[in-house]
Amino acid sequence: MESITILTSLLFVWLKARIDFEENFIKIKNPNSILGFIPLGSKKFSVAINQIASVDSEFKLLFKNLIVGIIELCTVPVFLRDSSTIIIAIIFLILGVSTVINSFQIHLNINTTSGQLYYISAFIFQKGKLSNIESSLNNLISNRMDDTNNRKVAEVQTEALKADNAANTAAIVNAIKDSK
């Protein structure tokens, strides 16, 4: 069983999504949070590999979050004017940078054969992990399709039977030649 952990936030590293690949299922655990950083449980779901119709990813810009992050960054100079509010300025700087970076999201969408959509969201720097998950899931879907393709299975069995028949025929011919 393979397990991949994905950070869903740059600053709040305790918010992690996880996907577990089992033999016939994938299990996904997505964190729920209040205000984007206070953990409040998680959303868990399992999907059978044979129920996955397609997997795709998309880039999203959360425009409201981007504006909030820019506003947070614009307040930093106001707090830097007074030496007693430098700590507040540093907090707003960290929150502003984190909010701006987290506004650029990558979504991995898992579509099932019943039409249900599951997704995992991560910030832009986790794109490589989500791409690996997407290709792994597409490989699992492809393997499942190959296993259930009657024509391919019949061709493989026919080729195996031909090879067995050719070997048996050669053995019979050799046995007849040896008996003379």
Side-chain angles (χ1 to χ4, degrees), residues 103-176:
S103 66
F104 298 98
Q105 295 262 319
I106 300 291
H107 285 252
L108 179 71
N109 300 317
I110 301 169
N111 302 298
T112 63
T113 54
S114 65
Q116 200 165 12
L117 174 69
Y118 299 102
Y119 69 92
I120 300 173
S121 297
F123 70 98
I124 193 75
F125 298 134
Q126 295 288 296
K127 183 178 181 181
K129 281 187 176 183
L130 284 180
S131 294
N132 288 342
I133 292 171
E134 181 180 8
S135 65
S136 295
L137 287 174
N138 282 326
N139 285 339
L140 288 172
I141 293 169
S142 175
N143 291 342
R144 177 184 55 86
M145 296 298 254
D146 286 344
D147 287 346
T148 58
N149 186 333
N150 290 334
R151 181 186 53 81
K152 282 188 176 183
V153 170
E155 285 176 359
V156 169
Q157 289 174 346
T158 303
E159 292 300 320
L161 284 174
K162 284 181 183 177
D164 286 345
N165 287 342
N168 289 340
T169 303
I172 292 171
V173 168
N174 288 337
I176 292 173

Side-chain angles (χ1 to χ4, degrees), residues 3 35 63 65 92 98 109 133 139 156 171 177:
S3 181
L35 302 174
F63 191 70
N65 291 5
F92 268 87
S98 175
N109 300 317
I133 292 171
N139 285 339
V156 169
K177 284 181 183 177

